[in-house]
DNA sequence: AGGCGATTCAAACGCATGATTGAATCGCGC
DNA sequence: GCGCGATTCAATCATGCGTTTGAATCGCCT
């Protein structure tokens, strides 16, 4: 049976009459500012201006909304990371990789996607929350989305900092992630609450400087 | 009116018949493994083997239990940090401070308190959650507990790495906290789930190596 | 022995949550 | 203009939540 035309409601030409996307955006905003488990369905649908039942109609459940949100937000960020890493590896032709570009390929997409987000720069906090709040429903999704990135970048760092033993490399990659996530979450220990946020590129450069030094530190305890 | 004797129930000689501490320990365990907002009072009291009403009798509310838990756990850790920093500053007699000991004074108490915890090494995750889940009730408590530590260590790092401008120092201190918190949370990106956790001192040394290099990196963007 | 304050307990409260229902509404294709 | 699937909506469900209550229990002190 041929799909005679498209579905109803504009026939998939307008994929949704906005409801689905408005739900995703409202959910992202609230998840970021209130936390995953502290955000109720009613708060989301109220913020989106739609009925409560819309969530279950379009996504099936609150959990599946969250999974869909992760797929839409995190996956593209990781694809950009991998694309940039591809370019670096292609340019190096099997030789050692330059550390700073690899670092930037990992760090910059995270900040870029944060600020690209429709007006509000909450994606960083949402992103950070994924690490902090253990939603078992997300475990497999996150693993699936981050597995490639983790593996590819681990190997890239191994080529960029070849003097490191494997276990030390794993740990330093872990520390890098901690630095990035904590910074995306936007908590500054010493910042006066009145200061306005600094431009992304400045923060990125500081992160790169710090982590590049940490990653390339000698492995012997020379101090 | 003279406090004729002590209170009832052993007259404060046994401060509580265990209930209060059992609640705190059960709460800490569950907060750490399940998250702050996903842990119910009933789960806590069930785990502790006491009645639900005991929480309100001893603490007043779930939130106040959390605050009390923070005071009991985090405050001593920070006191040890400050004591160690005092010793370092006393030994330096106004001169520049050695970076690595200052770093260790900040990092080691966190890991030590984690493993000291009655059998379970969950304090790290609990500690990490305090950063990740924004309980507005904790905001003032956490600020009060961490304010001194943040200020004192910021100044110490300024003396240990004197070539850094103030804003760069603030950021690097932020990155250090991110590294520590993320590591305390215990998520390893590359670790097989079957591996058993490495000894604390080994992890501490790796953290110190990484952050010492990051903190003392040159501030110019010299690749 | 008896009184009394500290503590425990089972039961219930009101409320917010995630989920579900079934009818109403919409808008295209026929 | 009619039918039909896609979509919205108000209303409702059962459940679990934090909290409160009031009576029972415990153990020291006089």
């Amino acid at each position: 049976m041929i799909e005679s035309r498209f579905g109803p409601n504009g026939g998939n030409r307008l994929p949704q009459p906005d409801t689905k996307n408005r739900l995703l955006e409202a959910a992202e905003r609230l998840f970021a500012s209130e936390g995953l488990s502290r955000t109720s369905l009613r708060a989301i649908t109220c913020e989106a201006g739609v009925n409560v039942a819309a969530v279950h109609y379009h996504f099936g459940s609150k959990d599946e909304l969250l999974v869909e949100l992760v797929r839409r937000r995190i996956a593209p960020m990781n694809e950009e990371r991998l694309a940039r890493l591809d370019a670096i590896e292609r340019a190096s032709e099997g030789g050692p990789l330059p550390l700073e570009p690899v670092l930037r390929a990992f760090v910059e997409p995270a900040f870029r996607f944060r600020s690209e987000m429709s007006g509000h720069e909450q994606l960083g906090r949402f992103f950070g929350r994924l690490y902090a709040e253990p939603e078992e429903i997300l475990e497999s999704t996150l693993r699936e989305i981050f597995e490639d990135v983790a593996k590819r970048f681990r190997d890239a760092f191994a080529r960029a900092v070849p003097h490191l033993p494997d276990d030390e490399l794993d740990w330093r990659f872990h520390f890098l992630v901690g630095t990035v996530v904590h910074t995306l979450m936007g908590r500054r220990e010493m910042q006066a609450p009145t200061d306005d946020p600094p431009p992304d590129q400045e923060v990125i450069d500081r992160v790169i400087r710090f982590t590049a030094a940490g990653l390339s530190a000698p492995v012997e305890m020379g101090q």
Side-chain angles (χ1 to χ4, degrees), chain A residues 41-53:
Chain A
L41 269 191
R42 282 166 174 83
I44 296 172
T45 53
C46 171
E47 169 105 354
V50 306
N51 190 274
V52 209

Side-chain angles (χ1 to χ4, degrees), chain A residues 9-188:
Chain A
N9 181 30
N12 269 354
R13 268 163 275 158
L14 297 178
Q16 310 298 335
D18 224 20
T19 300
K20 206 166 176 177
N21 288 324
R22 294 177 58 175
L23 276 172
L24 286 167
E25 285 177 22
E28 178 167 283
R29 228 171 306 146
L30 290 170
F31 283 153
S33 66
E34 306 299 325
L36 302 184
S37 46
R38 294 172 71 88
T39 298
S40 72
L41 269 191
R42 282 166 174 83
I44 296 172
T45 53
C46 171
E47 169 105 354
V50 306
N51 190 274
V52 209
V55 169
H56 296 85
Y57 180 76
H58 286 285
F59 300 97
S61 71
K62 182 191 181 187
D63 283 342
E64 289 171 85
L65 193 172
L66 179 57
V67 170
E68 174 77 10
L69 193 52
V70 169
R71 288 193 195 282
R72 289 214 185 180
R73 282 293 178 195
I74 309 296
M77 176 189 72
N78 279 349
E79 277 161 27
E80 179 174 326
R81 282 171 159 167
L82 290 178
R84 292 181 57 168
L85 182 55
D86 282 340
I88 296 170
E89 288 181 338
R90 227 177 298 117
S92 82
E93 308 207 343
L97 298 182
L99 174 58
E100 190 190 309
V102 175
L103 263 178
R104 298 199 107 92
F106 184 78
V107 172
E108 284 178 343
F111 284 86
R112 176 175 338 278
F113 274 79
R114 174 171 80 154
S115 50
E116 260 176 13
M117 243 204 62
S118 54
H120 18 74
E121 30 76 296
Q122 311 257 19
L123 179 57
R125 293 187 72 80
F126 172 68
F127 184 95
R129 294 204 187 286
L130 297 181
Y131 271 85
E133 299 195 37
E135 307 277 338
E136 60 279 357
I137 181 108
L138 281 182
E139 204 124 321
S140 65
T141 305
L142 287 179
R143 188 175 308 278
E144 164 195 329
I145 289 183
F146 279 103
E147 203 168 41
D148 266 12
V149 170
K151 205 171 299 181
R152 289 280 314 275
F153 273 89
R154 205 209 84 103
D155 293 347
F157 285 123
R159 288 174 61 191
V161 202
H163 66 285
L164 292 185
D166 276 0
D167 54 350
E168 180 74 10
L169 180 68
D170 286 346
W171 278 105
R172 294 194 182 179
F173 186 45
H174 176 81
F175 301 149
L176 164 65
V177 172
T179 304
V180 171
V181 168
H182 194 243
T183 303
L184 286 174
M185 285 280 290
R187 292 266 184 93
R188 294 280 305 281

